[in-house]
Structures are given as structure tokens and as C-alpha cells.
Amino acid sequence: MSSRNVLQGEGVTLYFGGLAALKGVDFHVDEGEIVGLIGPNGSGKSSLFNLISGLMRPTHGRITFLGHDLARFRPHQIAHLGVGRTFQIVRPFAELTTLQNVTASALYGQRLASVVEAEHRARDTLRFVGLVDHHDQPVRDLPLAFKKRLEIARALATGPKLLLLDEVFAGLNPVEIDGAIELIFRIRDELDITVFMIEHVMKAAMQTCQRIMVLGEGKKIAEGLPQDIARDAAVLAAYLGPAYA
Amino acid sequence: MPMMISASLNIAMRGRGQQLRSAPLGMVAATVLLALLPLTHPSEYLLSFLFIAFMYASLASSWNIVGGFAGYLSFGHAAFFGIGGYATGLALLHSGWSPFITAIPAALLAGLFAALVGYPVLRLRGPYFALVTLILTMVVRLVVMNLSWTKAAQGFWLPFPPFDNWTSRAVFYEVMLAILVLTLLVVRWVQYSKLGIGLIMIRNDEEAAQTFGVDATFLKVTAFVLSAALAGLVGGIFAYYRTYVHPNTMFDAYISVTTVLMALFGGRHIWFGPTLGAITLSVLSELLTLSIGTEIARVVFGLLLVAVVVTMPDGILGFTSRSARAHDGSWLKFLRREKWKS
Ligand SMILES: Nc1ncnc2c1ncn2[C@@H]1O[C@H](COP(=O)(O)OP(=O)(O)OP(=O)(O)O)[C@@H](O)[C@H]1O
Ligand SMILES: [Mg+2]
């Protein structure tokens, strides 16, 4: 539409044995966008992120990032191309402190030679996400809202052009969700990072995303502006059952 | 258990900066004192005992690069030890080259072997990796047993070093001390290098680490090669020390298992942990043998080891440092060097 295409998928299909987690999904994310990915449990959202970050390979189909066919890259190379991600279930390096987590990520994500430099950048990132006061805390002591922010900080520290967020609002209270929404806007506006986010909390997705894509049982069932998605019959059927459509 | 991991990391990464900074100085002092020991004309018995203790300390320390830092418990360290031993032994037998020199190319050979097997084997995790590394040693041993140019199942004798008995023991003692110091320097460098941080990321969550740009395969194989080469070096010197090279002594699963236990006993997350474990256990085992006889000593020793490994999963260092608190959450405090090579 308006600007450059960052991420594109064509006919993306993923089988787990006989189970099709994704069936011929086409999608695209453009530069500077915040795109939402919603859908019921088990509809294949996280699986799609695993394919983009290279942790899994599509059975069929093709994903390109800034023109690179991702089939030719391993996960760490995809990170170096500029894809950062968070995990739905936070998985910080449990033995390390907040700062060490982010330093490690900057060190390898930005291919720095100096730990001094990596730590310097990690502090900037922690300041950006509002965790700098908790830098020396062992991560297992952090409350969930901070763990989610740490997850975002680690992804940001790799210096991504595209950030994949997997349910960063889940488990947060309304105040924390507002804070997270604000953070996502700042990531796009101040850091110029394109955002592709999976969300379960519909309302929050509506507030944050300028475009929303809906998966149902591995297929793309709708795509459009948030207000249109909220009224889409197929989406309502997928979420609430056919009777409501 | 996670708490103790964190405690041992406190030493390694943040707390006890003081202790850590003084460690290398302590190491220099200890090295000098130990190197001067032969001047007091100690018994052959003491020199031999220390040779074996240093040998295990070096093996446990090099094992730790993969087993401790990366969290891949290998039970195949003896494979690399044995390859080093055979390479130096055969070189001496056929060409008369001194093992004190050929142990170096032999170490590189062990490293090369690790690079070749590392790619497939390091794809496995947990018990599968442990099992396959154990089997790997058995396979190498079987191959050596059946090749004529390695003297098959007969093994072979090496000429004695050109010294009298006592001097020979003293020379081996000094050489093994030097190898231990070299090993510790390498392992310590690894721990505080970019490589070491990558290995910690892999140990914590290999998949997540990759999404932060860690080439897990490359780092694991690099660690495996370093670890194997150091073991090969030790094996080369040991073969000459024993003057007899045989598949059963060079590819001995007992060596692999002892190495792992010593490292676990000392503490896997800190560069000097395995050395501490190896020295402590060597002394303990020797004292037990001297006081209650070999057979009972083995049983007591075994039970003791099991008790310690079960109750202190992070080794004696992890255990004693549980109260270590002071830290600023940074890697830099104890890392004095500014520039890090990858
Ligand atoms: N590693 C795996 N092995 C086998 N099946 C899997 C695996 N990962 C996911 N699946 C299955 O694939 C389907 C899609 O899972 P996925 O995690 O992508 O869904 P999701 O949309 O993220 O769901 P949720 O909202 O619960 O996070 C599910 O049926 C799931 O059970
Ligand atoms: Mg999911």
C-alpha cells in the first residue's frame, strides 16, 4: 500500500505430522506498520512466528524478509537480518540478571566485539523499556509485567527492523496493558521498528494495530481495519461459534 | 537448585569481584611454588600422585568448557585423551619424536576429530548426548583394537624417557603442571569471553539464544574442539608417562566418568571449580586408600561422591557461595579487559 514491504508470506503451510497448523496463509507487513495477528487458541499464530524466526521450517510456501528468502537462513542469521521476537511464555535466561540478559542479546544480536559496548547499549534499551532500575535483579524475581518488558528489551537489543511480539499483554492488568501499548507505539515511532504482534486481548489489539489479520484453524479468515474485523462475520464465528455469526 | 546455580554465578559474574580479581595472582603464586617443589627433592610417590591429580584437574577443567559452560554433559572425554595418547605414542615408536613435542600436534588431531564428530553429536541433547559420547569412546576404542598399525589389542611399549627414575618423575610433574596452568588460562579466558557468554546463553535456552543471533552450532563445536584438544594434550603426556599404550588404558570410560564427577564435585559454573574438585577428590581418595585399604576406600569414596553430587548439584563452590550477595548485575565489574574477541 503506502510504503515498502518488509515481510511477506505466500502459501505458508506447516504440518505437525498429520496436523496442519497453517494452511496456505498469505500475508504481508509493510514498513512502519503495527499489524495484529489474532485468532482462537491453536489457530497457528505462534507457529507462524516460529516460521518467520526460523525455529521451524514451512512444509510449503515461502516467507521473505526485506527481499531475502528466509528458507536460506538459520535462526541466528534471521536475527542478524533484523527480525527480533518475543516468546509467548517468557523465557529469559534464568541464571542471569536483567542487565546480563539484555547485554548478552546485544552482544550477539548486534555482533559486537566488546562486552563493554554491549552493556552500554543494553542499559539504553533497559532505560527505553523502563526497566533500568531493575537491572541487577535476578530475572526470576521479576513480576510478570517486568518479565514481559524484559522479553521486549532482549528482542530490541538485537537491533531489529521487524519486531514480532507474541501475546505481550497476556496476564497483565489494565494499567499494565496501557503501559505496554504506549511502549509499542514508542517502539515504532522513536525506534522506527515495524511491529507484527499476536494478541489475544481483542480490545488492546484494536487500540494498537492499524491492520489486523485473523487466523482460524490455520487459515487466514479475515484481514482489515480493526473496526471492520470487530464486525466481521467469519471472525465472530471463529471466536464465538457459528451461531453468533 | 536454581538458587545455587545463581549463587555460583554470583562468583562467576558479579559477586566477589575482589576474590575473582585476586584469583589469577593466587594462581601465579601457586604455580611458582608448585614449580619449585622438586627443589625440595620430594619422593617419587608424591611426584607421581601430583602428576595424576594435575592430570585429572586439567581433564575436568577442559571438560567443563562443554559440560559446564554449555551444559552438554559429555561422557566421552577419554576419546580425545586416547587419541592424543595414541598419536604421540605412535609418533615416538615410528619416528622417535619426543612426546613432549608431538603432544601438541596430537592435541590438534584430537581437536580435529572433535570438529568432525561435533557437528552430528552436538545436535543431541541431555541423556542422548551423554549416551552417544559414551558410545563414541567405545567405538574409537574398538576401531583402535582392530587396526594393525595401532598395534591392535596388544598395545605397545614406549622407550623410557632418557632420565633416571626420579628426574623422570620430576620432569613429568613439571610438564603436567604447565599443562594444567595452560588449561586454566584457556578455560578462564573462555568464561569471560564473548564465547563464554554465548555458551551460557546456550545452556540457559538454546532456542531463544539463536533468536538473539547466537550461532549455537558454531559455538558448541568451537567449545568441543577446544575441550578435546586440551584433553588430547594431556593424553599424549600420559601415554609417555605410562610408557605403555593400550586401548583399555587410553580409551577408559573410568577416565571419562571420573572427569565428570570431579567437575561436578568442584562446581561446573566457574573456571576453577573442576580443578578444586579434582584436587580435593584426589587427596581424599589417596588418604582413604592409605588409611583403610583400597577396596573399602573405593566403596566409601563412591558413596561420598554420590552423596555430595546429590546434595550439592552445583558442587562445593556452588554450595559455599550460597551466601554470596554483593553484585551489581553487570558482567563488567569483574572483567577488567575492555576488548573481547569472539
Ligand atoms: N511443536 C509442536 N508439535 C506439534 N504440534 C504443535 C507444535 N506447536 C504447535 N502445535 C499445534 O499446532 C497448532 C497451532 O499452535 P500454535 O501454538 O501456533 O497456536 P496459537 O494460535 O499460537 O495458539 P494460542 O493462542 O493458544 O497461543 C495447535 O494445534 C498446536 O497444538
Ligand atoms: Mg500462541
Side-chain angles (χ1 to χ4, degrees):
Chain A
M1 289 195 305
S2 54
S3 55
R4 195 159 68 113
N5 181 275
V6 174
L7 183 71
Q8 179 142 19
E10 293 155 25
V12 175
T13 302
L14 174 69
Y15 276 90
F16 290 114
L19 174 97
L22 292 166
K23 298 172 214 166
V25 178
D26 296 324
F27 63 94
H28 71 99
V29 175
D30 294 337
E31 193 171 353
E33 272 193 308
I34 298 178
V35 177
L37 178 60
I38 67 172
N41 285 333
S43 56
K45 306 181 297 293
S46 296
S47 298
L48 186 61
F49 274 19
N50 286 336
L51 295 182
I52 300 168
S53 53
L55 294 179
M56 291 174 183
R57 298 287 167 189
T59 317
H60 305 293
R62 205 168 99 101
I63 304 174
T64 53
F65 173 70
L66 296 174
H68 303 283
D69 182 351
L70 292 184
R72 295 189 293 113
F73 296 91
R74 291 161 59 209
H76 72 275
Q77 296 170 319
I78 293 176
H80 291 153
L81 286 177
V83 178
R85 72 164 292 172
T86 68
F87 289 94
Q88 180 171 354
I89 296 167
V90 293
R91 45 206 277 191
F93 300 129
E95 296 173 19
L96 309 182
T97 62
T98 306
L99 180 61
Q100 284 170 341
N101 263 277
V102 183
T103 302
S105 169
L107 186 64
Y108 275 93
Q110 301 185 38
R111 283 182 278 190
L112 303 175
S114 145
V115 181
V116 179
E117 178 60 25
E119 184 163 319
H120 188 72
R121 296 191 193 185
R123 279 184 198 277
D124 286 346
T125 307
L126 285 178
R127 205 166 290 123
F128 185 84
V129 304
L131 276 183
V132 77
D133 294 337
H134 304 275
H135 68 92
D136 62 348
Q137 224 154 317
V139 290
R140 83 182 68 81
D141 301 343
L142 290 175
L144 181 69
F146 287 173
K147 281 188 178 142
K148 296 257 177 186
R149 275 177 189 251
L150 173 60
E151 199 73 6
I152 296 175
R154 294 201 303 172
L156 287 179
T158 63
K161 299 186 183 90
L162 170 70
L163 184 62
L164 307 173
L165 300 173
D166 195 345
E167 301 205 15
V168 287
F169 300 147
L172 303 189
N173 68 37
V175 177
E176 290 164 346
I177 289 182
D178 285 343
I181 291 176
E182 192 220 312
L183 177 61
I184 292 171
F185 284 132
R186 284 177 50 229
I187 287 171
R188 182 196 52 185
D189 298 335
E190 293 174 29
L191 305 179
D192 289 323
I193 293 171
T194 306
V195 178
F196 192 18
M197 54 185 283
I198 295 177
E199 209 28 80
H200 223 86
V201 184
M202 266 278 223
K203 191 168 150 283
M206 300 285 161
Q207 277 181 47
T208 326
C209 305
Q210 52 208 94
R211 187 157 63 83
I212 288 179
M213 209 176 108
V214 191
L215 284 181
E217 294 178 356
K219 289 200 189 104
K220 186 161 90 175
I221 55 174
E223 183 173 358
L225 299 173
Q227 57 269 34
D228 298 336
I229 293 296
R231 273 172 297 186
D232 190 288
V235 177
L236 294 177
Y239 266 89
L240 305 168
Y244 294 84
Chain B
M1 174 175 155
M3 192 182 148
M4 288 202 273
I5 292 183
S6 135
S8 60
L9 267 148
N10 278 348
I11 300 192
M13 296 184 172
R14 30 183 210 243
R16 301 253 171 120
Q18 230 28 58
Q19 196 183 63
L20 221 113
R21 236 164 268 136
S22 58
L25 249 185
M27 206 172 131
V28 172
T31 306
V32 170
L33 285 178
L34 286 168
L36 293 176
L37 180 74
L39 293 181
T40 68
H41 214 84
S43 65
E44 278 176 33
Y45 161 78
L46 182 65
L47 288 172
S48 303
F49 167 75
L50 288 175
F51 173 86
I52 297 293
F54 292 169
M55 175 180 109
Y56 274 111
S58 174
L59 286 174
S61 299
S62 59
W63 173 88
N64 202 44
I65 299 173
V66 174
F69 297 167
Y72 276 72
L73 257 73
S74 161
F75 281 84
H77 217 40
F80 310 119
F81 174 84
I83 287 172
Y86 263 86
T88 48
L90 289 170
L92 178 60
L93 203 63
H94 292 299
S95 321
W97 293 332
S98 168
F100 291 132
I101 292 153
T102 55
I104 294 163
L108 298 180
L109 190 71
L112 182 70
F113 179 70
L116 293 177
V117 297
Y119 278 96
V121 170
L122 285 160
R123 299 168 87 98
L124 304 168
R125 295 193 198 169
Y128 301 100
F129 176 77
L131 198 62
V132 167
T133 49
L134 187 66
I135 293 170
L136 183 73
T137 316
M138 293 158 67
V139 170
V140 177
R141 184 174 143 270
L142 276 177
V143 169
V144 169
M145 276 250 190
N146 288 290
L147 290 175
S148 59
W149 61 271
T150 59
K151 311 288 175 209
Q154 291 86 52
F156 54 93
W157 288 94
L158 296 174
F160 284 101
F163 314 112
D164 66 72
N165 259 349
W166 187 89
T167 312
S168 164
R169 288 290 169 257
V171 168
F172 276 110
Y173 164 86
E174 295 287 0
V175 170
M176 196 49 82
L177 175 64
I179 291 178
L180 174 57
V181 171
L182 171 75
T183 308
L184 285 174
L185 289 175
V186 171
V187 174
R188 181 169 176 277
W189 172 80
V190 169
Q191 173 148 24
Y192 299 137
S193 68
K194 183 174 177 181
L195 171 63
I197 292 175
L199 295 176
I200 289 179
M201 294 166 85
I202 289 172
R203 176 172 84 213
N204 273 263
D205 188 335
E206 188 165 340
E207 208 176 55
Q210 289 174 286
T211 68
F212 301 128
V214 171
D215 185 348
T217 308
F218 178 74
L219 293 198
K220 285 188 295 183
V221 171
T222 304
F224 206 47
V225 168
L226 266 178
S227 170
L230 288 166
L233 188 63
V234 172
I237 300 304
F238 177 75
Y240 198 24
Y241 171 89
R242 280 290 303 262
T243 64
Y244 179 55
V245 179
H246 189 272
N248 290 348
T249 52
M250 292 312 304
F251 299 102
D252 188 353
Y254 173 84
I255 294 176
S256 296
V257 173
T258 308
T259 296
V260 175
L261 287 175
M262 286 173 161
L264 294 184
F265 185 84
R268 288 192 291 150
H269 298 328
I270 311 144
W271 61 272
F272 54 87
T275 293
L276 193 76
I279 303 289
T280 313
L281 287 180
S282 298
V283 170
L284 214 65
S285 155
E286 194 69 11
L287 290 179
L288 278 173
T289 307
L290 290 177
S291 58
I292 55 178
T294 317
E295 297 305 316
I296 314 173
R298 283 213 179 129
V299 176
V300 174
F301 185 70
L303 290 175
L304 202 82
L305 209 58
V306 170
V308 169
V309 170
V310 168
T311 56
M312 306 179 202
D314 290 309
I316 45 182
L317 273 179
F319 186 75
T320 53
S321 64
R322 235 193 302 194
S323 58
R325 289 280 329 160
H327 58 75
D328 76 339
S330 155
W331 256 305
L332 300 181
K333 196 151 188 187
F334 35 38
L335 307 174
R336 284 152 301 138
R337 236 174 305 139
E338 297 266 309
K339 286 292 165 202
W340 298 42
K341 287 170 225 119
S342 55

